């Protein structure tokens, strides 16, 4: 007993002495500095990297941008790398915007429904299965989805959707035919459908995070007023989560804009406007991946780089918009900020 | 106009709540009370004893979370137009008990409730009883103020009415004003009903939450530590409010603060580790507790 208390007294004394001892100069001064330098350098290098990427894209694309002018370059409808050597990016800009926005519109509500189902309705085991499947979709390489699109989805859509609509239009509304376009299966519609499948995981995951972050007090408050499950979601959950949901939608749009391989494999790759619904088209990433190997003319290569630069700008704008939306519509600590 | 409201709320078999000149006067009195700084006037336990009527009752109420027992075999009477305070140390089951009174446990995964909770003699856990209706008859105010942050003050108050499909502006206006007056908030917000509910101070937000609960005309109001996140001044306003409200509604309040229990309640129940240890008129329980554990708790020896 005595020896026990002696030991513990000694231990306490030792601890006290160590605690009162001033830290060594190396630990106090150098260690702190080294850590700060490492963190600052690594942190700043991200900014440097982004700036360097933008600069390289601009620099490589400047030949084309100076020759045509930035606005005329993105407004130009002719993309002719073979004969005239005239490059205008409007067909690709148009294809990118149309496929991405359409993909977002198609996938938005189903994705939100999936998020609400897994967050609020599904039993845990089912929710975790669905979550994992959705993550799996996000993890499948885009080229694999492209292959599936080429061999399964596109022929199926052609036989069961595009052709019936096309033949119906042929007999009933021939005026629609130019808008519908050639129902060969590889074109804007198929690319849009595949894109919408590919962005569902992002919208769903971000929406689910937003729903999960709604405080339980908000749900209970509406429950206590006699709200049913759906009314709780409508009254308390979705309004509270709106910032996160909007940000998720915009970031998904960003994914759709940048998606390359699957789109390039399925969109049919046609470089001239007008595009039609079923017919072939192209997007900014798809034209880059299709043409960079054959771009022997420096103006051609420079034009592809200029498209890359434009994509970079668009991605920047989309991300800023997402950040702005999140800030504007988020609710922090019960306050609309 | 009053008839109109009564006819609407009669969907919910309801009563005296719906404001009449009496309650207007009452809330006027509450404002006068606070403005002169009178607060925490002592309760009047036992005053209404002669006419006291059973409004709710629990019989052998047991709540389990999975295999853990939250409260066990609690039988308590809840009298009409009186305030019942539930006290006890953290984790004693008082909130668990409170939440069983309007079926909030229905929402908790793994929670199960046995025994019965009678409202006007009828078990609210019977299979044919709709919990949504029960929650309109037995309202609830939470620990933290919970205004819906995207809604205006006005929309917050009438949120419960909109749920049942009442859209008529004239009706909503009248109910909104009545509920805000009952919650002693009307004068402070009457000029900015359209501003967001979250723009109010903490104490005002809590009174807004009370107004929202009162708007649907509950017969019983459950309050789960309604002042624990408020400053002393807001706390005393809410306590005054409880005094006024008990003329119109039966109140069950969970509180950590024994002085608060002594000030606002007519009856007090002391919980300890899931058991109801002692129940009685507040004056008796705080002055002559029968159980040693009660005595130890209220004299601050544990908890």
């Amino acid at each position: 007993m005595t020896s026990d208390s002696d030991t513990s007294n000694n231990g306490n004394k030792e601890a006290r002495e160590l605690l009162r001892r001033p830290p060594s100069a190396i630990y106090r001064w150098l260690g702190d500095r080294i850590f700060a330098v490492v963190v600052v350098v690594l942190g700043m290098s991200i900014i440097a990297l982004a700036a360097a990427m933008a600069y390289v894209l601009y620099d490589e694309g400047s030949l084309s941008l100076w020759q045509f002018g930035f606005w005329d370059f993105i407004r130009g409808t002719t993309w002719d790398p073979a004969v005239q050597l005239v490059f205008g990016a409007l067909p690709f800009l148009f294809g990118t915007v149309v496929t991405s926005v359409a993909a977002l519109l198609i996938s938005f509500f189903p994705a939100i429904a999936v998020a609400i189902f897994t967050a609020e309705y599904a039993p845990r085991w089912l929710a975790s299965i669905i979550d994992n499947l959705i993550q799996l979709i996000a993890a499948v390489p885009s080229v694999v989805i492209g292959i599936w699109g080429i061999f399964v989805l596109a022929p199926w859509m052609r036989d069961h959707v595009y052709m019936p609509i096309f033949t119906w239009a042929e007999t009933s509304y021939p005026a629609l035919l130019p808008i519908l376009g050639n129902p060969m299966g590889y074109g804007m519609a198929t690319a849009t459908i595949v894109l919408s499948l590919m962005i569902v995981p992002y919208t769903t995951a971000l929406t689910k995070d937003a729903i999960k972050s709604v405080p339980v007090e908000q749900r209970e408050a509406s429950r206590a007023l006699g709200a049913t499950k759906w009314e709780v979601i409508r009254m308390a959950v979705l309004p509270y989560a709106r910032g996160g949901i909007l940000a998720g939608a915009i970031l998904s749009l960003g994914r759709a804009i940048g998606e390359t391989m699957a789109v390039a494999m399925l969109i049919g790759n046609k470089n001239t406007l007008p595009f039609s619904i079923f017919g072939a088209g192209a997007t900014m990433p798809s034209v880059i991946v299709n043409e960079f190997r054959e771009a022997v003319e420096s103006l051609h290569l420079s034009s592809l780089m200029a498209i890359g630069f434009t994509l970079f700008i668009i991605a920047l704008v989309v991300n800023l918009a997402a950040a702005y939306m999140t800030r504007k519509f988020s609710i922090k600590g019960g306050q609309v900020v | 106009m009053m008839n109109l409201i009564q006819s609407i709320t009669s969907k919910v078999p309801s009563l005296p709540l719906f404001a009449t000149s009496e309650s207007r006067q009452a809330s006027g009195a509450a404002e006068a009370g606070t403005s002169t700084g009178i607060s925490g006037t002592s309760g009047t336990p036992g005053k209404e004893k002669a006419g006291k009527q059973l409004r709710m009752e629990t019989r052998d109420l047991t709540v389990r979370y999975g295999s853990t027992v939250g409260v066990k075999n609690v039988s308590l009477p809840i009298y009409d137009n009186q305030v019942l305070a539930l006290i006890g140390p953290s984790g004693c089951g008082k909130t668990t008990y409170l939440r069983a009174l309007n079926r909030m446990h229905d929402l908790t995964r793994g929670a199960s409730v046995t025994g019965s909770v009678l409202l006007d003699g009828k078990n609210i856990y019977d299979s044919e009883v709709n919990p949504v209706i029960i929650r309109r008859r037995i309202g609830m105010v939470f620990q933290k103020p919970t205004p819906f942050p995207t809604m205006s003050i006005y929309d917050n108050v009438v949120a419960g009415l909109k749920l049942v499909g009442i859209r008529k502006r004239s009706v909503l206006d009248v109910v909104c004003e009545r509920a805000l007056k009952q919650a002693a908030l009307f004068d402070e917000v009457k000029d900015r009903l359209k501003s967001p509910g979250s723009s109010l101070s903490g104490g005002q937000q809590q009174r807004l939450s009370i107004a929202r609960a009162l708007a649907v005309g509950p017969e019983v109001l459950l309050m789960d530590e309604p002042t624990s996140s408020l400053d002393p001044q807001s706390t005393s306003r809410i306590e005054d409010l409880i005094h006024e409200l008990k003329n119109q509604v039966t109140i069950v309040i969970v509180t950590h603060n024994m002085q608060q229990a002594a000030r606002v309640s007519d009856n007090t129940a002391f919980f300890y580790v899931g058991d109801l240890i002692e129940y009685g008129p507040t004056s008796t329980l705080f002055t002559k507790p029968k159980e040693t554990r009660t005595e130890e708790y209220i004299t601050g020896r544990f908890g």
Side-chain angles (χ1 to χ4, degrees), chain A residues 124 217-218 220-221 223-227 231 235 239-240 242 331 334-336, chain B residues 99 104 107 109 132 135-136 142 144 146-151 159 163 198 212:
Chain A
R124 266 178 214 171
E217 293 91 8
Q218 288 282 319
E220 291 190 335
R223 275 282 168 159
L225 286 175
E231 287 165 342
M235 182 186 232
Y240 206 98
R242 63 186 182 178
I331 290 147
Q335 298 280 337
V336 181
Chain B
R99 293 165 62 89
M104 290 299 274
L107 320 173
R109 275 184 220 256
V132 164
R135 292 189 201 112
R136 284 185 196 135
F142 300 87
K144 277 200 256 169
T146 51
F148 298 128
T150 57
M151 291 185 196
L163 278 181
S198 50
R212 187 176 60 194

mmCIF file of all heavy atoms in Angstrom, chain A residues 124 217-218 220-221 223-227 231 235 239-240 242 331 334-336, chain B residues 99 104 107 109 132 135-136 142 144 146-151 159 163 198 212:
data_model
loop_
_atom_site.group_PDB
_atom_site.id
_atom_site.type_symbol
_atom_site.label_atom_id
_atom_site.label_comp_id
_atom_site.label_asym_id
_atom_site.label_seq_id
_atom_site.Cartn_x
_atom_site.Cartn_y
_atom_site.Cartn_z
ATOM 1 N N ARG A 124 -32.423 -0.081 -43.555
ATOM 2 C CA ARG A 124 -30.988 0.157 -43.673
ATOM 3 C C ARG A 124 -30.284 -0.777 -44.646
ATOM 4 O O ARG A 124 -29.449 -0.340 -45.435
ATOM 5 C CB ARG A 124 -30.336 0.043 -42.304
ATOM 6 C CG ARG A 124 -30.223 1.400 -41.658
ATOM 7 C CD ARG A 124 -29.622 1.315 -40.289
ATOM 8 N NE ARG A 124 -30.229 2.351 -39.452
ATOM 9 C CZ ARG A 124 -30.049 2.453 -38.154
ATOM 10 N NH1 ARG A 124 -29.296 1.579 -37.532
ATOM 11 N NH2 ARG A 124 -30.617 3.407 -37.473
ATOM 12 N N GLU A 217 -34.183 17.899 -35.212
ATOM 13 C CA GLU A 217 -35.178 18.778 -34.601
ATOM 14 C C GLU A 217 -36.174 19.301 -35.633
ATOM 15 O O GLU A 217 -37.351 19.483 -35.332
ATOM 16 C CB GLU A 217 -34.505 19.992 -33.936
ATOM 17 C CG GLU A 217 -33.647 19.668 -32.734
ATOM 18 C CD GLU A 217 -32.202 19.406 -33.110
ATOM 19 O OE1 GLU A 217 -31.846 19.637 -34.294
ATOM 20 O OE2 GLU A 217 -31.425 18.971 -32.251
ATOM 21 N N GLN A 218 -35.661 19.571 -36.835
ATOM 22 C CA GLN A 218 -36.543 20.089 -37.872
ATOM 23 C C GLN A 218 -37.599 19.047 -38.264
ATOM 24 O O GLN A 218 -38.763 19.360 -38.455
ATOM 25 C CB GLN A 218 -35.725 20.471 -39.114
ATOM 26 C CG GLN A 218 -34.903 21.717 -38.924
ATOM 27 C CD GLN A 218 -35.740 22.974 -39.045
ATOM 28 O OE1 GLN A 218 -36.597 23.073 -39.902
ATOM 29 N NE2 GLN A 218 -35.519 23.922 -38.161
ATOM 30 N N GLU A 220 -38.604 16.547 -36.379
ATOM 31 C CA GLU A 220 -39.518 16.303 -35.266
ATOM 32 C C GLU A 220 -40.509 17.450 -35.107
ATOM 33 O O GLU A 220 -41.667 17.222 -34.764
ATOM 34 C CB GLU A 220 -38.724 16.095 -33.978
ATOM 35 C CG GLU A 220 -37.950 14.795 -34.007
ATOM 36 C CD GLU A 220 -37.359 14.436 -32.667
ATOM 37 O OE1 GLU A 220 -37.138 15.355 -31.864
ATOM 38 O OE2 GLU A 220 -37.118 13.236 -32.439
ATOM 39 N N ALA A 221 -40.035 18.675 -35.365
ATOM 40 C CA ALA A 221 -40.934 19.814 -35.233
ATOM 41 C C ALA A 221 -42.110 19.671 -36.189
ATOM 42 O O ALA A 221 -43.257 19.920 -35.817
ATOM 43 C CB ALA A 221 -40.176 21.110 -35.497
ATOM 44 N N ARG A 223 -43.133 16.818 -37.552
ATOM 45 C CA ARG A 223 -43.899 15.654 -37.095
ATOM 46 C C ARG A 223 -44.879 16.041 -36.006
ATOM 47 O O ARG A 223 -46.018 15.615 -35.974
ATOM 48 C CB ARG A 223 -42.957 14.585 -36.537
ATOM 49 C CG ARG A 223 -42.393 13.678 -37.571
ATOM 50 C CD ARG A 223 -43.404 12.640 -37.985
ATOM 51 N NE ARG A 223 -42.916 11.985 -39.178
ATOM 52 C CZ ARG A 223 -43.311 10.799 -39.586
ATOM 53 N NH1 ARG A 223 -44.206 10.117 -38.923
ATOM 54 N NH2 ARG A 223 -42.829 10.288 -40.695
ATOM 55 N N ALA A 224 -44.366 16.854 -35.073
ATOM 56 C CA ALA A 224 -45.181 17.219 -33.917
ATOM 57 C C ALA A 224 -46.373 18.083 -34.315
ATOM 58 O O ALA A 224 -47.316 18.220 -33.559
ATOM 59 C CB ALA A 224 -44.330 17.938 -32.878
ATOM 60 N N LEU A 225 -46.304 18.684 -35.511
ATOM 61 C CA LEU A 225 -47.454 19.453 -35.981
ATOM 62 C C LEU A 225 -48.471 18.569 -36.681
ATOM 63 O O LEU A 225 -49.473 19.045 -37.187
ATOM 64 C CB LEU A 225 -47.003 20.534 -36.955
ATOM 65 C CG LEU A 225 -46.306 21.735 -36.357
ATOM 66 C CD1 LEU A 225 -45.827 22.655 -37.467
ATOM 67 C CD2 LEU A 225 -47.236 22.473 -35.423
ATOM 68 N N GLY A 226 -48.175 17.288 -36.744
ATOM 69 C CA GLY A 226 -49.097 16.368 -37.400
ATOM 70 C C GLY A 226 -48.767 16.146 -38.866
ATOM 71 O O GLY A 226 -49.643 15.826 -39.652
ATOM 72 N N ALA A 227 -47.509 16.334 -39.237
ATOM 73 C CA ALA A 227 -47.128 16.098 -40.627
ATOM 74 C C ALA A 227 -46.928 14.600 -40.863
ATOM 75 O O ALA A 227 -46.419 13.896 -39.996
ATOM 76 C CB ALA A 227 -45.843 16.846 -40.956
ATOM 77 N N GLU A 231 -45.071 14.863 -45.814
ATOM 78 C CA GLU A 231 -45.170 16.274 -45.446
ATOM 79 C C GLU A 231 -43.931 16.744 -44.684
ATOM 80 O O GLU A 231 -43.518 17.891 -44.826
ATOM 81 C CB GLU A 231 -46.441 16.512 -44.620
ATOM 82 C CG GLU A 231 -47.692 16.449 -45.473
ATOM 83 C CD GLU A 231 -48.977 16.305 -44.661
ATOM 84 O OE1 GLU A 231 -48.915 15.913 -43.479
ATOM 85 O OE2 GLU A 231 -50.044 16.579 -45.219
ATOM 86 N N MET A 235 -41.953 19.786 -45.991
ATOM 87 C CA MET A 235 -41.998 20.971 -45.154
ATOM 88 C C MET A 235 -40.643 21.273 -44.500
ATOM 89 O O MET A 235 -40.225 22.419 -44.421
ATOM 90 C CB MET A 235 -43.027 20.716 -44.062
ATOM 91 C CG MET A 235 -43.274 21.828 -43.101
ATOM 92 S SD MET A 235 -44.377 21.185 -41.827
ATOM 93 C CE MET A 235 -45.624 22.394 -41.823
ATOM 94 N N PRO A 239 -36.700 21.882 -48.005
ATOM 95 C CA PRO A 239 -36.314 23.299 -47.912
ATOM 96 C C PRO A 239 -34.974 23.478 -47.206
ATOM 97 O O PRO A 239 -34.159 24.299 -47.612
ATOM 98 C CB PRO A 239 -37.440 23.931 -47.088
ATOM 99 C CG PRO A 239 -38.587 23.042 -47.260
ATOM 100 C CD PRO A 239 -38.024 21.655 -47.407
ATOM 101 N N TYR A 240 -34.744 22.700 -46.175
ATOM 102 C CA TYR A 240 -33.499 22.834 -45.438
ATOM 103 C C TYR A 240 -32.317 22.377 -46.292
ATOM 104 O O TYR A 240 -31.225 22.915 -46.209
ATOM 105 C CB TYR A 240 -33.568 22.003 -44.154
ATOM 106 C CG TYR A 240 -32.676 22.500 -43.056
ATOM 107 C CD1 TYR A 240 -33.180 23.305 -42.046
ATOM 108 C CD2 TYR A 240 -31.328 22.181 -43.025
ATOM 109 C CE1 TYR A 240 -32.372 23.779 -41.036
ATOM 110 C CE2 TYR A 240 -30.504 22.652 -42.022
ATOM 111 C CZ TYR A 240 -31.032 23.451 -41.021
ATOM 112 O OH TYR A 240 -30.222 23.914 -40.026
ATOM 113 N N ARG A 242 -32.047 22.429 -49.528
ATOM 114 C CA ARG A 242 -32.071 22.915 -50.918
ATOM 115 C C ARG A 242 -30.694 23.359 -51.418
ATOM 116 O O ARG A 242 -30.360 23.142 -52.580
ATOM 117 C CB ARG A 242 -33.069 24.061 -51.048
ATOM 118 C CG ARG A 242 -32.682 25.257 -50.204
ATOM 119 C CD ARG A 242 -33.716 26.348 -50.199
ATOM 120 N NE ARG A 242 -33.183 27.441 -49.389
ATOM 121 C CZ ARG A 242 -33.800 28.584 -49.194
ATOM 122 N NH1 ARG A 242 -34.979 28.790 -49.722
ATOM 123 N NH2 ARG A 242 -33.250 29.526 -48.462
ATOM 124 N N ILE A 331 -28.509 26.635 -45.224
ATOM 125 C CA ILE A 331 -29.010 27.059 -43.933
ATOM 126 C C ILE A 331 -28.019 26.572 -42.899
ATOM 127 O O ILE A 331 -27.750 25.384 -42.795
ATOM 128 C CB ILE A 331 -30.397 26.485 -43.704
ATOM 129 C CG1 ILE A 331 -31.365 27.193 -44.645
ATOM 130 C CG2 ILE A 331 -30.813 26.667 -42.273
ATOM 131 C CD1 ILE A 331 -32.462 26.366 -45.134
ATOM 132 N N GLY A 334 -29.749 27.018 -38.459
ATOM 133 C CA GLY A 334 -31.109 27.544 -38.444
ATOM 134 C C GLY A 334 -31.265 28.890 -39.111
ATOM 135 O O GLY A 334 -32.354 29.415 -39.189
ATOM 136 N N GLN A 335 -30.169 29.452 -39.598
ATOM 137 C CA GLN A 335 -30.256 30.757 -40.238
ATOM 138 C C GLN A 335 -30.142 30.594 -41.749
ATOM 139 O O GLN A 335 -29.333 29.825 -42.222
ATOM 140 C CB GLN A 335 -29.109 31.658 -39.779
ATOM 141 C CG GLN A 335 -29.114 31.947 -38.300
ATOM 142 C CD GLN A 335 -30.090 33.036 -37.913
ATOM 143 O OE1 GLN A 335 -30.452 33.858 -38.734
ATOM 144 N NE2 GLN A 335 -30.531 33.031 -36.681
ATOM 145 N N VAL A 336 -30.963 31.346 -42.454
ATOM 146 C CA VAL A 336 -30.773 31.427 -43.892
ATOM 147 C C VAL A 336 -29.628 32.386 -44.115
ATOM 148 O O VAL A 336 -29.708 33.531 -43.696
ATOM 149 C CB VAL A 336 -32.042 31.954 -44.582
ATOM 150 C CG1 VAL A 336 -31.844 32.019 -46.073
ATOM 151 C CG2 VAL A 336 -33.222 31.076 -44.236
ATOM 152 N N ARG B 99 -41.910 11.907 -24.735
ATOM 153 C CA ARG B 99 -42.078 11.629 -26.164
ATOM 154 C C ARG B 99 -43.032 10.476 -26.417
ATOM 155 O O ARG B 99 -43.539 10.333 -27.526
ATOM 156 C CB ARG B 99 -40.719 11.351 -26.810
ATOM 157 C CG ARG B 99 -39.829 12.588 -26.826
ATOM 158 C CD ARG B 99 -38.398 12.227 -27.131
ATOM 159 N NE ARG B 99 -38.271 11.630 -28.446
ATOM 160 C CZ ARG B 99 -38.074 12.334 -29.556
ATOM 161 N NH1 ARG B 99 -37.952 13.628 -29.493
ATOM 162 N NH2 ARG B 99 -37.986 11.726 -30.706
ATOM 163 N N MET B 104 -44.113 10.156 -30.421
ATOM 164 C CA MET B 104 -42.923 10.532 -31.176
ATOM 165 C C MET B 104 -41.980 9.342 -31.333
ATOM 166 O O MET B 104 -41.131 9.333 -32.216
ATOM 167 C CB MET B 104 -42.178 11.692 -30.497
ATOM 168 C CG MET B 104 -42.896 13.028 -30.568
ATOM 169 S SD MET B 104 -43.189 13.636 -32.246
ATOM 170 C CE MET B 104 -41.645 14.485 -32.575
ATOM 171 N N LEU B 107 -41.244 7.230 -34.578
ATOM 172 C CA LEU B 107 -40.261 7.593 -35.605
ATOM 173 C C LEU B 107 -38.888 7.025 -35.319
ATOM 174 O O LEU B 107 -38.014 7.053 -36.163
ATOM 175 C CB LEU B 107 -40.131 9.111 -35.679
ATOM 176 C CG LEU B 107 -41.417 9.901 -35.551
ATOM 177 C CD1 LEU B 107 -41.119 11.366 -35.481
ATOM 178 C CD2 LEU B 107 -42.315 9.583 -36.727
ATOM 179 N N ARG B 109 -36.129 4.384 -34.783
ATOM 180 C CA ARG B 109 -35.859 2.991 -35.119
ATOM 181 C C ARG B 109 -35.588 2.199 -33.856
ATOM 182 O O ARG B 109 -34.802 2.623 -33.012
ATOM 183 C CB ARG B 109 -34.629 2.885 -36.016
ATOM 184 C CG ARG B 109 -34.908 3.071 -37.483
ATOM 185 C CD ARG B 109 -33.615 2.841 -38.242
ATOM 186 N NE ARG B 109 -33.474 3.798 -39.323
ATOM 187 C CZ ARG B 109 -33.673 3.496 -40.607
ATOM 188 N NH1 ARG B 109 -33.994 2.278 -40.968
ATOM 189 N NH2 ARG B 109 -33.525 4.402 -41.534
ATOM 190 N N VAL B 132 -51.042 10.935 -36.530
ATOM 191 C CA VAL B 132 -50.994 12.306 -37.036
ATOM 192 C C VAL B 132 -52.027 13.171 -36.311
ATOM 193 O O VAL B 132 -51.744 14.300 -35.900
ATOM 194 C CB VAL B 132 -51.234 12.299 -38.566
ATOM 195 C CG1 VAL B 132 -51.574 13.684 -39.061
ATOM 196 C CG2 VAL B 132 -49.992 11.780 -39.272
ATOM 197 N N ARG B 135 -50.885 13.838 -32.747
ATOM 198 C CA ARG B 135 -49.874 14.887 -32.601
ATOM 199 C C ARG B 135 -50.459 16.283 -32.790
ATOM 200 O O ARG B 135 -49.869 17.267 -32.361
ATOM 201 C CB ARG B 135 -48.720 14.645 -33.565
ATOM 202 C CG ARG B 135 -47.937 13.411 -33.178
ATOM 203 C CD ARG B 135 -46.658 13.239 -33.958
ATOM 204 N NE ARG B 135 -46.286 11.835 -33.882
ATOM 205 C CZ ARG B 135 -46.306 11.004 -34.912
ATOM 206 N NH1 ARG B 135 -46.627 11.450 -36.111
ATOM 207 N NH2 ARG B 135 -45.999 9.742 -34.758
ATOM 208 N N ARG B 136 -51.608 16.370 -33.460
ATOM 209 C CA ARG B 136 -52.248 17.691 -33.515
ATOM 210 C C ARG B 136 -52.964 17.987 -32.207
ATOM 211 O O ARG B 136 -53.076 19.138 -31.801
ATOM 212 C CB ARG B 136 -53.253 17.748 -34.673
ATOM 213 C CG ARG B 136 -52.548 17.879 -35.985
ATOM 214 C CD ARG B 136 -53.492 18.070 -37.134
ATOM 215 N NE ARG B 136 -52.743 17.807 -38.357
ATOM 216 C CZ ARG B 136 -53.176 17.078 -39.350
ATOM 217 N NH1 ARG B 136 -54.375 16.542 -39.319
ATOM 218 N NH2 ARG B 136 -52.422 16.880 -40.393
ATOM 219 N N PHE B 142 -39.811 21.877 -28.389
ATOM 220 C CA PHE B 142 -38.550 21.172 -28.168
ATOM 221 C C PHE B 142 -37.535 22.030 -27.431
ATOM 222 O O PHE B 142 -37.718 23.222 -27.230
ATOM 223 C CB PHE B 142 -37.979 20.699 -29.503
ATOM 224 C CG PHE B 142 -38.894 19.761 -30.222
ATOM 225 C CD1 PHE B 142 -39.886 20.238 -31.068
ATOM 226 C CD2 PHE B 142 -38.791 18.400 -30.025
ATOM 227 C CE1 PHE B 142 -40.737 19.364 -31.715
ATOM 228 C CE2 PHE B 142 -39.646 17.523 -30.667
ATOM 229 C CZ PHE B 142 -40.622 18.010 -31.512
ATOM 230 N N LYS B 144 -34.498 22.953 -28.380
ATOM 231 C CA LYS B 144 -33.996 24.060 -29.177
ATOM 232 C C LYS B 144 -35.166 24.651 -29.951
ATOM 233 O O LYS B 144 -36.032 23.914 -30.411
ATOM 234 C CB LYS B 144 -32.950 23.562 -30.177
ATOM 235 C CG LYS B 144 -31.572 23.436 -29.592
ATOM 236 C CD LYS B 144 -30.514 23.427 -30.689
ATOM 237 C CE LYS B 144 -29.986 22.053 -30.940
ATOM 238 N NZ LYS B 144 -29.172 21.918 -32.128
ATOM 239 N N THR B 146 -37.225 25.641 -32.969
ATOM 240 C CA THR B 146 -37.148 24.993 -34.282
ATOM 241 C C THR B 146 -37.997 25.694 -35.332
ATOM 242 O O THR B 146 -38.842 25.065 -35.943
ATOM 243 C CB THR B 146 -37.633 23.542 -34.197
ATOM 244 O OG1 THR B 146 -38.911 23.554 -33.549
ATOM 245 C CG2 THR B 146 -36.684 22.657 -33.463
ATOM 246 N N PRO B 147 -37.806 27.006 -35.533
ATOM 247 C CA PRO B 147 -38.540 27.595 -36.653
ATOM 248 C C PRO B 147 -38.060 26.972 -37.966
ATOM 249 O O PRO B 147 -36.896 26.571 -38.058
ATOM 250 C CB PRO B 147 -38.164 29.077 -36.585
ATOM 251 C CG PRO B 147 -36.877 29.128 -35.849
ATOM 252 C CD PRO B 147 -36.890 27.970 -34.910
ATOM 253 N N PHE B 148 -38.966 26.861 -38.912
ATOM 254 C CA PHE B 148 -38.535 26.380 -40.233
ATOM 255 C C PHE B 148 -37.802 27.536 -40.907
ATOM 256 O O PHE B 148 -38.404 28.580 -41.171
ATOM 257 C CB PHE B 148 -39.727 25.922 -41.059
ATOM 258 C CG PHE B 148 -40.454 24.771 -40.426
ATOM 259 C CD1 PHE B 148 -41.821 24.819 -40.225
ATOM 260 C CD2 PHE B 148 -39.770 23.640 -40.019
ATOM 261 C CE1 PHE B 148 -42.482 23.767 -39.628
ATOM 262 C CE2 PHE B 148 -40.424 22.581 -39.425
ATOM 263 C CZ PHE B 148 -41.789 22.637 -39.228
ATOM 264 N N PRO B 149 -36.519 27.373 -41.172
ATOM 265 C CA PRO B 149 -35.691 28.525 -41.544
ATOM 266 C C PRO B 149 -36.056 29.154 -42.877
ATOM 267 O O PRO B 149 -35.744 30.320 -43.101
ATOM 268 C CB PRO B 149 -34.270 27.956 -41.576
ATOM 269 C CG PRO B 149 -34.431 26.493 -41.664
ATOM 270 C CD PRO B 149 -35.743 26.148 -41.056
ATOM 271 N N THR B 150 -36.710 28.420 -43.759
ATOM 272 C CA THR B 150 -37.035 29.020 -45.052
ATOM 273 C C THR B 150 -38.396 29.700 -45.035
ATOM 274 O O THR B 150 -38.814 30.263 -46.037
ATOM 275 C CB THR B 150 -37.018 27.968 -46.158
ATOM 276 O OG1 THR B 150 -37.938 26.938 -45.812
ATOM 277 C CG2 THR B 150 -35.644 27.371 -46.344
ATOM 278 N N MET B 151 -39.104 29.601 -43.912
ATOM 279 C CA MET B 151 -40.453 30.174 -43.871
ATOM 280 C C MET B 151 -40.458 31.491 -43.102
ATOM 281 O O MET B 151 -39.672 31.695 -42.184
ATOM 282 C CB MET B 151 -41.414 29.213 -43.166
ATOM 283 C CG MET B 151 -41.714 27.946 -43.926
ATOM 284 S SD MET B 151 -42.974 27.024 -43.007
ATOM 285 C CE MET B 151 -42.817 25.421 -43.779
ATOM 286 N N ALA B 159 -48.068 26.843 -40.319
ATOM 287 C CA ALA B 159 -47.595 25.647 -41.023
ATOM 288 C C ALA B 159 -48.488 24.435 -40.755
ATOM 289 O O ALA B 159 -48.823 23.679 -41.669
ATOM 290 C CB ALA B 159 -46.156 25.342 -40.610
ATOM 291 N N LEU B 163 -50.963 22.238 -43.412
ATOM 292 C CA LEU B 163 -50.860 20.789 -43.579
ATOM 293 C C LEU B 163 -52.229 20.146 -43.748
ATOM 294 O O LEU B 163 -52.371 19.168 -44.477
ATOM 295 C CB LEU B 163 -50.180 20.157 -42.354
ATOM 296 C CG LEU B 163 -48.672 20.201 -42.298
ATOM 297 C CD1 LEU B 163 -48.198 19.517 -41.041
ATOM 298 C CD2 LEU B 163 -48.073 19.519 -43.518
ATOM 299 N N SER B 198 -36.274 32.722 -38.728
ATOM 300 C CA SER B 198 -34.939 32.580 -38.144
ATOM 301 C C SER B 198 -34.297 33.926 -37.850
ATOM 302 O O SER B 198 -33.212 33.985 -37.289
ATOM 303 C CB SER B 198 -34.051 31.769 -39.085
ATOM 304 O OG SER B 198 -34.120 32.303 -40.388
ATOM 305 N N ARG B 212 -46.559 28.197 -32.963
ATOM 306 C CA ARG B 212 -46.815 27.247 -34.042
ATOM 307 C C ARG B 212 -47.511 25.992 -33.501
ATOM 308 O O ARG B 212 -48.426 25.465 -34.119
ATOM 309 C CB ARG B 212 -45.490 26.875 -34.703
ATOM 310 C CG ARG B 212 -45.641 26.036 -35.933
ATOM 311 C CD ARG B 212 -44.299 25.798 -36.562
ATOM 312 N NE ARG B 212 -43.411 25.100 -35.641
ATOM 313 C CZ ARG B 212 -42.088 24.987 -35.816
ATOM 314 N NH1 ARG B 212 -41.528 25.517 -36.872
ATOM 315 N NH2 ARG B 212 -41.354 24.338 -34.952
#
